[in-house]
Amino acid sequence: MWKQILKDYGTGILNSYGRIFFSNNHYVSALLMGISFIDFNAGISGFCSIILTQWLYVFFGYGREYIRSGNFTYNSLIMGLLLGVYYQFNIPFCIIYVCAILAVFFLNVWLATLSAKRGFPYLTLPFLMALWVIKLGVKNLSTLKLNERGIYTIADLDKHSDFFSMINNFLLDLHFADSLGIYFKSLGAILFQYNLVAGVLVAAALFYYSRISFLLSLLGFYVGYEFYKILEGDLSPMIYSYIGFNFILTAIALGGFFVVPSTKSFFLVIIIVPLTALLGNALSEMMGIFGLPMHALPFNMTVILVISALRLREKTRGLDLVVNQQFVPEKNHYKHINRLERFKTHTYFQIFLPFVGVWHVPQGYFGGITHLGDWGSALDFDIIDQENKTYRSQFLEPTDFHCYNLPVLAPANGIVWDIVDGISDNLIGGMDMKNNWGNTIIIKHGEGLYSKLSHLKAGTFRHYIGNTVKKGEIVGYCGNSGRSPEPHLHFQMQTYAYVGSPTLAYPIAYYLVHKNDKIEFNSFNVPKQGELLSNITTTPLLLNAFYLTPGRSFVYEMEQNGKKNMVKWEIFTDSYNQTYIKCYQSNSYAYFVNDGTLFYFTDFIGDEESLLHYFYMGLQKILLGYYQNLTIKDRLLIDSVFNPAIKFVHDMSAPFVHYCKAKYESSMQVIDNEHYPQHIEINSLVKAQIFGFVFHQIKFSFQIKDNIIQSFTIIDKNKTLKAQCISS
């Protein structure tokens, strides 16, 4: 217990330093903590402020997350750093110090609650508000002494180290020495270290943890710097107060942390940073009246204003807010792009094809015959034979047509909302213009989501209004009623409940397209005119093998280079109802979804050399139905397959262009009975491509038997891994 408590405190201390630069990297956090001790008084004051704040959260009964995350302690750290720089350590200082940390603590809790309700970040507002209270409150307190050492400068370092002096002289000799020096000092000023060495070390930490953040810091600073130069503004605030850190923090926040890094996010930085500069000038004048420091207020106001505005939009237009914060701009970018490529058209409510077997689409969306205008997003279905005919030897009667009197299915679970019945079938070639839709059933699937099936045969409805229907249940039979010259099924989604409602464009969740004896898998797509379609039939063996419910556990024996190890996996569900596999040995997590038709992984956290990570890659996307010669394709995150050096370089261009891609494909073969298989082999391949050329590939083979994933083999370059399930 004490070991875990100490670990939580240690993690919280490191995270507090990292959060100042929007990072959760502990190596970077440790370096930033070390930089803060360049001025020892500042460093020890900042460190103690975290400990005190953590104790306050424990004292007032808050959970461990408040101690561990760093989100609730970094404002106290900033306050501690500032007090340590500007004031002498004595008893009055200690009293004010505790009061200041208490003020930050309560303001942090209040603003965090407000932020969660309103949807805006509170950033360093708790620190600023507490700072203003302290500044005004200590004016008449003569025992609180300003630090006579003044600001710790590079000259102070020169006395102790020729190395620091060498760095200083090197930087001053550079072509852009003036602006670059201000840039580095502005970076250091974020930690109240007003010297070049601190700035260089912060820049190095920034570059190590995120190339995108580093580029944004340069972009933000130089946009602000050039803004002052072009408008011939007073550069003294940037030279002496180092307010350039407002531009740097604004750029990182809006260019890659709260907004997904992209070409447009970089452009956003270019147009927003001048606003930050103007706000800085205005706030400097206003705050000067009261003798209060502006510090990071321009950064706070700019980011809160922009984020609040972006949350109110109808369309993102390429400026996407980060949904699942990764605390690294590169991961925010890659995971967003991967999610768009894989799930852009996914819908919460899944709609399936309303028939059995292979049907044809004679008229698709905006087909030009009857699917026009507000009624354009509809599909017509019929059946054609090998000669592309919809009828048998004759076509004098509706019964001569292949699709006539075949069952029509509910496309999803719902409630029968309306039925129109009693309309006779037309003679072939004839149309009932008065009863345009013919016999029709409307099913309600949710608020504002209805399906309509029309031109059905009279008297064949299996349900009454108000009945509950399940996906795939027969609701009626195909007919030739209404405006229908020959038998077919009209299908549309709509937002209103009445017959004749305008259509709603809505994808079909999963279906197969049949082309020249081949089949293609489609997910959340709209069938095209002329295509042959069918629903997917699942295979019991695959359904059972991938039925990974919370509480199930597996033990695999892994063999590599003659060495054997045991790994234990267990299935859990988190508080967000996301299901995942946990590997106890590597402390890794693989998140997945099984919707009854498709099994696919959504995320991985942990050791990328672990067996679970290979499992995650090899079974990235699996159709739960066996079809011969069917290939399933998908995309992986590039950090799954590329080595760190290649990814490191690629990160620099990632917001603008991707030349590294990771592609996935899988196929199946039956080992025994094709019609009722008891042994299926899944073969998958992951390819790492650079400019379209295959740079690296990993091969996988999974044996599905006895309703489990019994064994699998991985071939990765010269490395071969084998795993056998010994307990499930």
Side-chain angles (χ1 to χ4, degrees), residues 104-116:
V104 174
F105 169 79
F106 288 115
L107 285 166
N108 209 117
V109 172
W110 174 61
L111 286 171
T113 305
L114 192 63
S115 170

Side-chain angles (χ1 to χ4, degrees), residues 13 107 131 134 153 184 219 247 272 303 321 351 380 394 462 478 485 545 576 601 624 633 635 639 647:
I13 290 169
L107 285 166
L131 174 62
I134 297 300
T153 64
F184 285 129
L219 178 65
F247 310 146
I272 290 298
V303 172
L321 292 173
I351 297 296
D380 284 345
Q394 297 179 346
R462 292 285 192 92
C478 185
Y576 297 100
F601 282 102
L624 299 178
K633 297 181 179 181
R635 290 287 184 90
D639 54 7
K647 182 180 173 297

Side-chain angles (χ1 to χ4, degrees), residues 37-91:
F37 276 88
I38 290 178
D39 183 324
F40 183 78
N41 283 17
I44 195 66
S45 177
F47 184 84
C48 291
S49 69
I50 302 173
I51 301 295
L52 177 57
T53 306
Q54 289 178 325
W55 179 83
L56 286 171
Y57 281 114
V58 173
F59 178 79
F60 284 104
Y62 289 88
R64 285 186 178 180
E65 184 62 21
Y66 287 84
I67 299 170
R68 187 173 52 237
S69 71
N71 293 328
F72 304 96
T73 49
Y74 72 85
N75 274 283
S76 296
L77 167 61
I78 299 172
M79 177 62 79
L81 291 170
L82 180 140
L83 293 176
V85 166
Y86 288 106
Y87 294 99
Q88 293 181 14
F89 285 4
N90 53 30
I91 293 176

Side-chain angles (χ1 to χ4, degrees), residues 419-613:
I419 289 177
V420 176
D421 198 3
I423 301 172
S424 301
D425 287 330
N426 301 314
L427 296 174
I428 299 304
M431 289 186 288
D432 185 349
M433 301 299 289
K434 181 180 179 181
N435 301 295
N436 185 69
W437 302 105
N439 301 307
T440 295
I441 183 171
I442 292 178
I443 303 172
K444 180 180 181 180
H445 304 290
E447 293 302 323
L449 186 64
Y450 300 83
S451 62
K452 185 179 76 168
L453 301 152
S454 298
H455 308 309
L456 275 64
K457 184 180 179 183
T460 63
F461 290 107
R462 292 285 192 92
H463 293 275
Y464 299 99
I465 294 174
N467 284 174
T468 299
V469 293
K470 294 182 178 180
K471 176 182 77 74
E473 193 174 343
I474 297 175
V475 295
Y477 288 80
C478 185
N480 193 38
S481 59
R483 188 179 176 183
S484 175
E486 64 178 60
H488 74 283
L489 172 64
H490 176 92
F491 173 66
Q492 70 180 55
M493 300 300 296
Q494 55 193 52
T495 55
Y496 303 107
Y498 60 87
V499 175
S501 168
T503 57
L504 170 69
Y506 203 91
I508 303 297
Y510 304 115
Y511 62 95
L512 299 175
V513 175
H514 300 253
K515 291 182 179 180
N516 303 322
D517 297 327
K518 294 183 179 180
I519 51 176
E520 293 179 359
F521 172 72
N522 279 257
S523 62
F524 295 92
N525 205 351
V526 174
K528 297 179 179 61
Q529 191 163 304
E531 288 184 332
L532 293 172
L533 315 173
S534 70
N535 275 308
I536 292 164
T537 301
T538 55
T539 302
L541 175 62
L542 294 170
L543 284 173
N544 293 331
F546 287 91
Y547 187 61
L548 307 180
T549 55
R552 288 192 68 181
S553 62
F554 302 86
V555 176
Y556 280 93
E557 182 182 71
M558 181 180 71
E559 180 180 349
Q560 182 182 0
N561 299 327
K563 296 181 180 179
K564 294 183 178 180
N565 295 302
M566 299 291 183
V567 293
K568 181 182 178 181
W569 298 346
E570 189 169 353
I571 316 301
F572 293 93
T573 299
D574 64 15
S575 57
Y576 297 100
N577 203 31
Q578 295 177 320
T579 312
Y580 62 92
I581 306 171
K582 176 182 178 179
C583 174
Y584 285 95
Q585 282 66 34
S586 64
N587 196 30
S588 301
Y589 307 84
Y591 288 81
F592 68 88
V593 171
N594 183 337
D595 60 17
T597 304
L598 199 68
F599 175 94
Y600 56 92
F601 282 102
T602 57
D603 200 4
F604 180 86
I605 301 170
D607 182 5
E608 294 182 357
E609 294 297 321
S610 65
L611 184 67
L612 182 59
H613 186 251

Side-chain angles (χ1 to χ4, degrees), residues 36 43 58 65 80 175 191 202 237 317 322 345 361 409 417 437 462 609 715:
S36 73
V58 173
E65 184 62 21
H175 180 66
L191 296 174
V202 170
R317 301 294 187 188
V322 173
T345 58
V361 184
L409 314 179
W417 201 256
W437 302 105
R462 292 285 192 92
E609 294 297 321
I715 301 175

